[in-house]
Amino acid sequence: MDLEPPEVEEPRRRPGKPDRLLLFFAVFSAAILLGIWSATALVAMDRREDTFHSARLEILGAQRLLRAQTARTYEVMQSALTITNNWLKKNSGPAGTAGFADLMETINQMVSFEDEPVALRFVDNAGYLHRPADLGEENISIYVGDRDYFKALKDQPPGSIFLGPAVVSRDSGAEVLPVVMRAYPNRYGVGYIIAAVRTTAFRSSYDGLLISAPSRIGFVRGDGTVLMAWPVNEWVGRQVPEISDLAVSQAGNTRGRGNATPGIVQNGKSLLAYIRLSGEPIMIFALFDTADLQRKWLLGMIWPFSLAVLTTLIVLAATVWIGRLMRRNQAYSAEVAAALVQAQAANVAKQDFLANMSHELRTPLNAIIGFSEVIEKEMMGPVGTRAYRGYAADIAKAGGHLLGIVREILDFARIDAGTFRTGDHPVDVRRCLAQCTDLVRDIAAAKQITIDLDLGDNLPAVLADETHLRQVFLNLIGNAVKFTPEGGVISIHASDPSDSSPAGALVISVADSGIGIPRDKIDKLFQPFVQLAGSQSRSHGGLGLGLVNTKRIVEAYGGAVWLDSELGAGATAYVSIPKSRLGKAISPETPRDVVAAGTASR
């Protein structure tokens, strides 16, 4: 008999489902990335606003401080100029005899130079520095007639003031900020009075004043000319459009009294704060370049941006890895599906093979067993040689053994393949147990084994296939006979479920006085094709499927099978049939039956 498994078509991948899952995960990853970068954008916008807001507060505070310092300095300088010019006018009359030493003493009494170190210089009408002899200074010829203040005040009336941009003094060599007044005509030859303060007095106050970004601070005259700027010296004496235009627009308010109102202007290039001195044509400014603030903001975003980039890379890597894993799992699932189809085809082929084997083996075995029994019993006439009868008996015995093995294999295969079908017909347990006992009576008689049937009076019917129950009981009783030594006792017990089990199950036990089983090896007996090692157990033959089939049949009906044994103390097999499989009680047809195998007849 040549059996081949049927051809198996490769399973086709179900289109769409894995792809939809992968697409869902990709969309989910994209949503995560969108959330990450949206959060990063919100953080960036918030930090940019914080950067510019902090810069506004800082720059407004700085220009207020600068206004206070500048106003104090200019007040001291103008006071010194006014006092000096009045003194020159007063002492130039016929009664005037005071010298410059008296002037300096008068100025020191009226003006404090401790906080604002202002220097006074005098220039004659020819444009040369004038050094009074009574001050003890050496008269050196230094020409300043080319300075802006000299040219601007030359034709102005006495008392006129010119605010000059910062210049390098030709006397001391230091950079100073001059305020010049046209002097009244006097007998001392002074045409111009200069009050100057070193720019370092301002710049020392600027350091560390603005820290948000590199800054620019300074003063602007009403006509837009930058008087002093730090740290950008190239602006001094020039018109800077952004700042000068603002100073010119503020010049109309220079005649007002009281405090000027500060302002702030922000455009694409800079953040500029300004405030004018009350009553003076001077505007103080402080500004940040927008590019510097943007640079500070971007530097502050390095860590959030780096974290967003790192998270993005991790999400992308995880997406790629999971996508590959899903593809790999998809391929693996296809392989498993193909293997499952092949296994199912192989199982179908096995079923076909077992069905054919059942027919091919049972038919000749039945013929062999039948004809051997005919020869053994001389049904067709006497056999010439008596030995042939013994041979025929051996053939029948061997054929019956082989038929039993085939039956066990086929039962195991049916149960294993899931083709086993339970029944629900009422079965008389007493009668079934008695029939099974009769089947092993000859074997038990040969070994002088006593079988004791202890069955209750109100045993319920079992809703099952009687063939299945007979196979279960026959396996258990047959094993007991097989492993019980000569002269032993086998006890079969079944009682009313209400008496034996709180769950209402029917429990049937088969106990023998055989060789027993070690407790640690009992579970192995319920594994297919497993037999315990040892010459005594192996001498009984068999495939090791009897208990396996018994357990699976009983479990198919919702019951249970277990063993209780110790080595050398016999074994007891229990079968529990659940209440759901029990019917009405069946009255006993015969009293308690004690079968003595030694006296039983066929």
Side-chain angles (χ1 to χ4, degrees):
M1 179 174 57
D2 187 12
L3 293 178
E4 294 182 359
E7 293 185 1
V8 180
E9 182 181 358
E10 290 293 332
R12 298 179 180 177
R13 182 175 64 88
R14 297 175 62 183
K17 185 175 181 180
D19 294 335
R20 287 197 301 270
L21 185 60
L22 187 60
L23 178 62
F24 171 78
F25 184 75
V27 172
F28 179 72
S29 300
I32 292 178
L33 293 179
L34 179 62
I36 291 173
W37 285 105
S38 297
T40 304
L42 291 176
V43 171
M45 294 172 61
D46 186 63
R47 290 199 176 186
R48 186 180 186 279
E49 181 62 28
D50 286 346
T51 299
F52 279 84
H53 181 68
S54 299
R56 291 188 193 96
L57 296 179
E58 187 175 315
I59 206 171
L60 285 172
Q63 54 89 20
R64 287 190 178 93
L65 179 63
L66 291 172
R67 182 188 65 178
Q69 181 182 2
T70 304
R72 185 171 60 250
T73 301
Y74 270 93
E75 182 180 358
V76 171
M77 295 172 73
Q78 288 190 11
S79 297
L81 290 174
T82 301
I83 292 171
T84 300
N85 201 21
N86 291 333
W87 186 89
L88 289 175
K89 180 179 180 182
K90 178 180 177 180
N91 288 282
S92 293
T97 59
F100 277 93
D102 296 329
L103 170 63
M104 299 308 298
E105 182 178 354
T106 300
I107 293 175
N108 288 331
Q109 290 177 356
M110 299 182 66
V111 180
S112 174
F113 293 100
E114 294 180 0
D115 296 331
E116 305 295 336
V118 177
L120 287 176
R121 291 293 184 266
F122 306 100
V123 180
D124 58 24
N125 289 317
Y128 288 91
L129 284 178
H130 178 73
R131 295 180 180 272
D134 59 344
L135 293 180
E137 297 181 354
E138 182 182 358
N139 191 11
I140 301 176
S141 178
I142 298 176
Y143 183 70
V144 294
D146 57 346
R147 297 288 197 187
D148 291 342
Y149 56 80
F150 188 85
K151 296 177 183 180
L153 294 177
K154 185 175 182 180
D155 298 326
Q156 297 297 322
S160 299
I161 293 178
F162 179 82
L163 305 177
V167 295
V168 176
S169 174
R170 294 174 181 173
D171 181 15
S172 63
E175 185 181 52
V176 296
L177 187 66
V179 177
V180 185
M181 178 178 282
R182 190 71 166 95
Y184 287 107
N186 57 80
R187 66 186 183 86
Y188 300 100
V190 177
Y192 305 87
I193 308 168
I194 302 175
V197 61
R198 295 194 178 193
T199 58
T200 55
F202 291 98
R203 292 179 177 176
S204 61
S205 300
Y206 300 165
D207 290 334
L209 188 59
L210 298 177
I211 60 175
S212 290
S215 58
R216 302 177 186 182
I217 304 174
F219 319 133
V220 184
R221 201 165 55 198
D223 62 355
T225 301
V226 177
L227 300 180
M228 189 187 75
W230 182 87
V232 189
N233 286 329
E234 59 267 21
W235 284 5
V236 176
R238 296 172 49 195
Q239 298 276 335
V240 179
E242 181 182 0
I243 301 173
S244 299
D245 294 344
L246 188 60
V248 172
S249 67
Q250 294 289 315
N253 298 325
T254 57
R255 299 303 177 185
R257 299 301 176 188
N259 294 328
T261 303
I264 188 166
V265 176
Q266 181 176 350
N267 52 39
K269 294 183 178 180
S270 63
L271 179 66
L272 171 65
Y274 62 89
I275 190 169
R276 68 175 178 82
L277 294 184
S278 299
E280 301 294 341
I282 297 176
M283 186 188 76
I284 302 168
F285 71 88
L287 67 84
F288 290 119
D289 283 342
T290 302
D292 292 330
L293 293 176
Q294 295 276 19
R295 190 176 299 110
K296 178 184 179 182
W297 164 62
L298 291 175
L299 289 175
M301 283 299 299
I302 288 179
W303 280 111
F305 182 77
S306 300
L307 182 60
V309 171
L310 179 61
T311 306
T312 300
L313 294 176
I314 292 175
V315 171
L316 291 177
T319 302
V320 172
W321 178 76
I322 294 178
R324 290 180 178 177
L325 189 63
M326 291 174 65
R327 291 293 187 186
R328 188 181 306 168
N329 184 63
Q330 180 181 345
Y332 175 74
S333 298
E335 293 177 359
V336 171
L340 180 60
V341 171
Q342 293 178 353
Q344 291 174 346
N347 188 57
V348 171
K350 183 183 69 173
Q351 296 301 320
D352 293 339
F353 170 75
L354 291 175
N356 290 329
M357 187 181 71
S358 174
H359 175 72
E360 297 293 338
L361 292 180
R362 286 185 178 184
T363 299
L365 279 176
N366 287 330
I368 292 171
I369 295 173
F371 288 130
S372 61
E373 289 181 349
V374 169
I375 295 172
E376 178 188 4
K377 297 179 180 180
E378 299 179 329
M379 293 180 181
M380 304 301 295
V383 178
T385 304
R386 303 301 298 175
Y388 289 161
R389 293 183 60 189
Y391 297 154
D394 291 339
I395 293 173
K397 181 178 180 181
H401 178 70
L402 180 57
L403 185 60
I405 291 176
V406 171
R407 186 181 298 111
E408 284 188 352
I409 294 175
L410 294 177
D411 290 341
F412 174 78
R414 280 197 299 269
I415 297 173
D416 190 56
T419 60
F420 182 81
R421 296 293 181 265
T422 60
D424 57 357
H425 303 290
V427 179
D428 186 351
V429 176
R430 293 172 53 86
R431 184 170 60 85
C432 187
L433 285 172
Q435 290 175 351
C436 292
T437 302
D438 288 340
L439 291 176
V440 298
R441 180 176 299 172
D442 290 344
I443 301 175
K447 298 175 65 175
Q448 297 182 352
I449 296 175
T450 300
I451 299 178
D452 182 7
L453 283 175
D454 182 12
L455 306 179
D457 295 335
N458 295 313
L459 294 182
V462 176
L463 303 179
D465 188 321
E466 185 171 355
T467 303
H468 296 160
L469 282 186
R470 186 180 296 112
Q471 183 176 353
V472 168
F473 297 150
L474 191 59
N475 282 338
L476 296 180
I477 298 173
N479 279 343
V481 173
K482 183 189 301 184
F483 293 102
T484 300
E486 293 184 0
V489 178
I490 297 175
S491 299
I492 303 173
H493 176 77
S495 60
D496 186 355
S498 60
D499 299 332
S500 60
S501 173
L506 174 62
V507 178
I508 302 164
S509 63
V510 179
D512 63 62
S513 58
I515 58 176
I517 306 167
R519 287 188 177 275
D520 58 343
K521 296 182 179 180
I522 290 178
D523 291 340
K524 293 183 179 180
L525 293 177
F526 293 101
Q527 299 177 9
F529 306 106
V530 172
Q531 289 182 322
L532 299 183
S535 60
Q536 188 174 4
S537 61
R538 291 298 300 163
S539 64
H540 297 287
L543 294 179
L545 292 177
L547 284 177
V548 176
N549 289 341
T550 298
K551 180 177 176 63
R552 292 187 177 184
I553 291 173
V554 174
E555 289 178 347
Y557 283 94
V561 175
W562 68 94
L563 292 178
D564 185 15
S565 177
E566 290 185 5
L567 188 62
T572 301
Y574 295 93
V575 176
S576 174
I577 300 175
K579 184 178 181 179
S580 60
R581 283 287 180 176
L582 301 181
K584 295 182 179 180
I586 299 177
S587 300
E589 299 178 356
T590 59
R592 177 176 174 177
D593 197 9
V594 177
V595 182
T599 61
S601 61
R602 287 182 61 100

